[in-house]
């Protein structure tokens, strides 16, 4: 039996969220922990419960999802964030995935389409409408994150992979047979290519690239 996923709904319309709750819980594999009417309320539940899935409106009275998505993902990295929107979902997918979203769906989608997207996430796959492909959408289109990371040399990429894994600079230096000072020189070049100024920023950008690759090709 599959694990029951905990879900948080975020939206402006209680009646709509209640309808979604009934749809999600019908098959017994999803349970709705809460229905939030603000980003702050949602953030508190995510930090406390770490639900597997958050279904969130693109626009809320406090602002658009771009303002909060990365922070929420950082507080619960294993959670899947799916954004519901009336806007041009095809154009929003790439930027929102770079912020931590696992999927995007039109508010006009059918219950079956919503459940199909969730089933895909449970199996490690990203779902999107075939219509987007017919319109020429390429999910690996150039982005700022991709462009920056792809500038790294194989050695620089290896160093960042090890740093993200928590390996010390001294150990990395031993692994690639260079001096500790050389690692500092590599890092300066990496920071320039990633357009960051701190180790934390470099880790965040590189980890974002790695996570998106896994989402696309899981």
């Amino acid at each position: 039996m599959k694990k029951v996923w905990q879900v948080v709904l975020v939206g402006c319309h209680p009646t709509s969220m209640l309808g979604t709750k009934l749809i999600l819980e019908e098959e017994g594999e999803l349970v709705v922990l809460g229905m939030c009417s603000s980003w702050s309320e949602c953030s508190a539940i995510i930090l406390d419960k770490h639900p597997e899935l958050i279904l969130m409106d693109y626009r809320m009275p406090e602002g658009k999802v771009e303002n909060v998505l990365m922070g929420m993902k950082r507080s619960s990295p294993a959670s899947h964030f799916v954004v519901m929107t009336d806007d041009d979902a095809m154009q929003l997918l790439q930027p929102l995935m770079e912020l931590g979203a696992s999927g995007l769906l039109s508010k006009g989608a059918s219950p079956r389409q919503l459940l199909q997207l969730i089933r895909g996430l449970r199996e490690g796959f990203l779902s999107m409408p075939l219509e987007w492909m017919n319109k020429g959408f390429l999910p690996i289109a150039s982005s700022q994150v991709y462009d920056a990371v792809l500038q790294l040399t194989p050695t620089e990429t290896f160093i960042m992979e090890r740093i993200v894994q928590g390996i010390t600079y001294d150990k990395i230096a031993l692994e690639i047979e260079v001096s500790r000072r050389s690692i500092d020189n590599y890092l300066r070049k990496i920071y320039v290519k990633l357009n960051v100024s701190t180790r934390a920023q470099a880790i965040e950008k590189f980890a974002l690239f790695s996570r998106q690759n896994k989402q696309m090709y899981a």
Side-chain angles (χ1 to χ4, degrees):
M1 183 177 179
K2 287 185 177 180
K3 176 184 177 182
V4 175
W5 271 20
Q6 296 182 324
V7 184
V8 172
L9 306 179
V10 191
C12 303
H13 306 289
T15 302
S16 177
M17 286 194 289
L18 179 58
T20 301
K21 178 180 186 295
L22 295 175
I23 292 169
L24 295 180
E25 294 185 336
E26 185 174 1
E27 296 184 9
E29 294 183 353
L30 304 166
V31 58
V32 175
L33 286 179
M35 297 184 291
C36 305
S37 58
S38 69
W39 294 135
S40 56
E41 183 183 0
C42 174
S43 295
I45 293 181
I46 292 171
L47 187 60
D48 181 45
K49 300 295 185 181
H50 301 287
E52 283 80 13
L53 177 65
I54 299 91
L55 289 179
M56 53 208 318
D57 276 0
Y58 176 67
R59 299 174 186 273
M60 293 287 286
E62 300 161 281
K64 296 180 181 178
V65 74
E66 287 98 336
N67 299 329
V68 298
L69 183 53
M70 182 173 285
M72 290 183 180
K73 183 67 176 180
R74 189 181 296 118
S75 69
S76 186
S79 297
H80 289 287
F81 294 82
V82 174
V83 180
M84 311 291 290
T85 181
D86 288 324
D87 294 67
D88 188 345
M90 186 177 78
Q91 298 301 319
L92 289 172
L93 179 61
Q94 180 88 12
L96 291 182
M97 288 190 68
E98 291 178 0
L99 293 174
S102 295
L104 195 65
L105 198 64
S106 168
K107 287 186 178 180
S110 68
R112 182 176 297 181
Q113 289 170 325
L114 172 59
L115 293 173
Q116 176 64 37
L117 185 151
I118 296 171
R119 291 189 191 103
L121 292 178
R122 291 178 69 98
E123 299 298 330
F125 285 86
L126 168 68
S127 301
M128 68 179 69
L130 288 174
E131 177 188 2
W132 293 4
M133 303 305 295
N134 295 333
K135 291 180 178 179
F137 175 74
L138 296 175
I140 57 172
S142 176
S143 68
Q144 290 183 352
V145 175
Y146 268 41
D147 290 345
V149 176
L150 290 177
Q151 291 181 45
L152 301 182
T153 67
T155 299
E156 291 167 347
T157 299
F158 176 80
I159 290 172
M160 282 307 305
E161 287 173 347
R162 300 300 276 161
I163 290 175
V164 169
Q165 293 167 7
I167 307 302
T168 65
Y169 294 166
D170 288 335
K171 186 173 182 180
I172 296 172
L174 289 173
E175 289 176 340
I176 62 176
E177 299 180 342
V178 300
S179 68
R180 173 64 174 76
R181 180 174 295 181
S182 293
I183 296 298
D184 292 333
N185 292 332
Y186 275 117
L187 288 174
R188 279 192 286 270
K189 295 176 183 178
I190 290 170
Y191 289 178
V192 170
K193 291 180 180 180
L194 296 183
N195 192 28
V196 299
S197 57
T198 67
R199 179 177 182 272
Q201 291 171 346
I203 290 174
E204 181 175 328
K205 183 166 283 190
F206 189 85
L208 185 61
F209 170 85
S210 300
R211 183 175 68 243
Q212 186 167 346
N213 269 346
K214 290 178 182 177
Q215 288 174 325
M216 291 296 183
Y217 301 110

